[in-house]
Amino acid sequence: MAFGVGVIGLGMASTPHMLALKELEAAGRVRILGGHAPSPARRKAFASRWNLPVFAEQAALLAAPGLDLVLVLTPPWTHLPVAEAVLAAGKHLIVEKPLEATPERAEALTAAAETAGRFCAVCLQHRFRPAALYLKAALDTGALGMPLSASASIRWWRDAAYFAAPGRGTVARDGGGVLLTQAIHTIDLLLHLVGPVRDVAGFAATSPLRRIDTEDVVAAALRFENGALGVLDATTVARPGFPERIEIAGTGGSAILSAHRLELHGRDGAPPEIIGEEAGGGGGADPMAFDHGPHRAMIAAMLDSLESGRAPPHAARTALPAQRLIAAILSAPVRP
């Protein structure tokens, strides 16, 4: 069955989604009905690039015949009202990360979808990278034993051109800084792999490199509910940008996940098992320098759910732990 899909929000984030949707359309899984954005310039650019209809009004897109699923790719603070409109129209939705700008608004969005009886998934596509899927399966089968240490490092770089966009890096536009805008992908994946965090202590600061009112350097210590300890190191001041890493050590072995590359070490000293390649994490000056394959897998998982009637593995509620952890880290005073 081919599901009718529409897109709300036609900015930079729409490109990997559209590349994924085009491939899914070629495979007969979706029909792309068009897109909406308040900006006439963005509507014109979208129509020209993708040769698709655009809708000047959001309500017109939501009323389009055959629409089943909506991708919400608008700025974070708008996710809740847009989602409420999509749900009122009776459609399912995928929401770009973060689910919303605050945990409370994310909770409200999640509750609205559950009350409406519609599927709402979140775009945290790092879960769908092949190496991450392989590591998740290994952990679920106990290949690394009981987790003892689990840490994440996101040492990325964003240049002046990135922050030249109006409002970029501000609470008013983005809702947060490096944690909510960049590191949330790796934070979510860490929690997806190891489980929720019980205790956290952290520091956050804003560097002198750019004029923003959010954090761009963060360090935190974590204690997971399963007893494992770890650290979180996140920044966008590390030139030229490096692949994000998750490292897990357990009673039965260790794993290093560096962007798309996984290294698994067993307890017997045998050569490590290597899955994938490191390149393409999007940690450098170009935030879109990554493969859209995980987006395709993420959307396909939602389509599978629409066909089966079973909740998607990336349902909105699964994104809440990452947002709560970010809020907990930032509850400590921000230091200059």
Side-chain angles (χ1 to χ4, degrees), residues 2 18-32:
M18 287 305 305
L19 290 170
L21 285 173
K22 283 291 189 178
E23 292 179 1
L24 290 167
E25 187 172 55
R29 298 211 65 187
V30 302
R31 291 174 292 105
I32 310 172

Side-chain angles (χ1 to χ4, degrees), residues 1-25:
M1 175 181 180
F3 293 97
V5 179
V7 180
I8 297 178
L10 308 179
M12 180 174 61
S14 68
T15 295
H17 290 276
M18 287 305 305
L19 290 170
L21 285 173
K22 283 291 189 178
E23 292 179 1
L24 290 167
E25 187 172 55

Side-chain angles (χ1 to χ4, degrees), residues 171-242:
V171 172
R173 181 192 187 277
D174 295 339
V178 62
L179 292 180
L180 195 67
T181 305
Q182 285 90 24
I184 190 171
H185 283 293
T186 309
I187 294 170
D188 171 77
L189 182 54
L190 178 68
L191 302 185
H192 179 63
L193 294 170
V194 184
V197 166
R198 187 176 74 193
D199 302 300
V200 60
F203 298 95
T206 304
S207 77
L209 295 181
R210 64 272 305 217
R211 297 192 177 192
I212 57 177
D213 63 2
T214 58
E215 82 291 344
D216 59 3
V217 182
V218 174
L222 312 174
R223 177 159 55 189
F224 294 83
E225 287 188 0
N226 59 22
L229 301 179
V231 297
L232 171 66
D233 166 28
T235 187
T236 53
V237 304
R239 295 182 179 89
F242 303 92

Side-chain angles (χ1 to χ4, degrees), residues 17 29 35-36 46 58 77 83 92 103 122 125 147 149-150 168-169 174 217 228 238 240 264 279 289 303 306 329:
H17 290 276
R29 298 211 65 187
H36 161 74
F46 179 87
Q58 178 177 284
W77 287 103
H92 305 279
V122 63
Q125 75 275 2
S149 173
R168 179 86 74 186
D174 295 339
V217 182
L264 279 175
L303 301 177
L306 297 182
I329 294 170

Side-chain angles (χ1 to χ4, degrees), residues 47-92:
S48 175
R49 179 175 183 182
W50 304 110
N51 191 29
L52 285 168
V54 290
F55 298 79
E57 301 297 330
Q58 178 177 284
L61 171 60
L62 295 179
L67 181 66
D68 302 297
L69 174 66
V70 177
L71 273 57
V72 178
L73 312 180
T74 58
W77 287 103
T78 67
H79 288 177
L80 178 56
V82 173
E84 289 174 335
V86 173
L87 294 168
K91 312 305 178 185
H92 305 279

Side-chain angles (χ1 to χ4, degrees), residues 113-134:
E114 292 173 350
T115 299
R118 291 293 179 266
F119 289 148
C120 177
V122 63
C123 179
L124 286 163
Q125 75 275 2
H126 288 200
R127 300 185 197 177
F128 292 89
R129 290 173 169 176
L133 292 168
Y134 193 95

